[in-house]
Amino acid sequence: ASDLRTAFESFGRIKDIYVPLDYYTKVSRGFGYVEYYDRADAEAAYDRRNEVMVLGRPVVVEFARGQRKTSREMRHNEIHPSQSQSQP
């Protein structure tokens, strides 16, 4: 999380950083969330997303859709991955 803070704090005041971990291994799942107090700061980070690097690697910046899942929901998705995908 400190690497994300370093990469994104220049865009504005950060409210929360969340890095989901694999339920069983407790290793990062390879993505994270950065929440700003001010939407304009989040938009600034998005507008300059091609400049953002974490640990020397470029990152993909998107606006999150939906709400943060609970650990129980994440565990269910890992145990039953085909059931967690939305149906058309």
Side-chain angles (χ1 to χ4, degrees), residues 17 21 34 39 66 70 76-77 82 88:
I17 294 178
L21 303 179
V34 177
R39 182 176 177 88
T70 65
H76 176 78
N77 290 348
S82 62

Side-chain angles (χ1 to χ4, degrees), residues 36-64:
Y36 290 91
Y37 283 100
D38 188 336
R39 182 176 177 88
D41 296 336
E43 290 171 350
Y46 183 80
D47 290 343
R48 296 179 56 200
R49 64 190 174 275
N50 294 330
E51 302 170 23
V52 178
M53 303 283 277
V54 174
L55 299 175
R57 297 176 58 193
V59 296
V60 175
V61 177
E62 298 178 0
F63 277 102

